[in-house]
Amino acid sequence: MAKLSLKQRELKREQLVAKFAKKYAELKAIINDAKRSDEERYAARLALQQLPRNANPTRLRNRCELTGRARGTFRTFGLGRSKIRELAFKGDIPGVIKASW
């Protein structure tokens, strides 16, 4: 079980990313547009640097929804490997069965 402070920090980051997503996308589009002038692109880079660090989507970490574990998380389920195993053996995840051959 991850510490509550780590879960809260990640939640705060998710909210910041959502808040600045539109502005972040606009600035990135300006920066990547080769048709714009160098001054415009430079100004967009400076504006992007002024955004909070945690507004950058790459700072988000995939965590297990149940335990908050950061490592061994499957994107498909949003769960850690140990929780997937437990729930799959119980039959709580549809379509997932124990392999045998």
Side-chain angles (χ1 to χ4, degrees):
M1 201 66 167
K3 290 171 61 175
L4 186 60
S5 60
L6 293 177
K7 290 182 186 179
Q8 292 300 317
R9 184 188 309 158
E10 198 62 34
L11 183 64
K12 187 177 173 184
R13 282 184 182 153
E14 287 175 11
Q15 291 169 350
L16 260 177
V17 167
K19 180 180 177 183
F20 287 101
K22 185 177 178 186
K23 188 169 187 177
Y24 190 86
E26 290 171 359
L27 291 172
K28 289 294 274 185
I30 292 171
I31 291 169
N32 294 328
D33 188 4
K35 294 178 183 175
R36 301 235 185 195
S37 67
D38 289 339
E39 292 80 21
E40 270 186 304
R41 294 171 70 189
Y42 182 70
R45 279 193 207 101
L46 291 179
L48 189 65
Q49 289 175 359
Q50 296 303 316
L51 294 180
R53 275 193 174 183
N54 287 334
N56 190 338
T58 58
R59 290 178 70 94
L60 290 177
R61 178 81 184 192
N62 291 333
R63 289 190 174 271
C64 176
E65 291 292 325
L66 300 177
T67 62
R69 181 180 169 86
R71 296 183 175 198
T73 304
F74 287 71
R75 290 182 191 173
T76 312
F77 305 107
L79 299 172
R81 57 183 173 75
S82 57
K83 287 295 170 186
I84 287 177
R85 188 169 191 267
E86 285 177 19
L87 295 174
F89 285 160
K90 287 182 189 175
D92 292 341
I93 304 176
V96 177
I97 55 171
K98 185 176 185 292
S100 61
W101 58 90

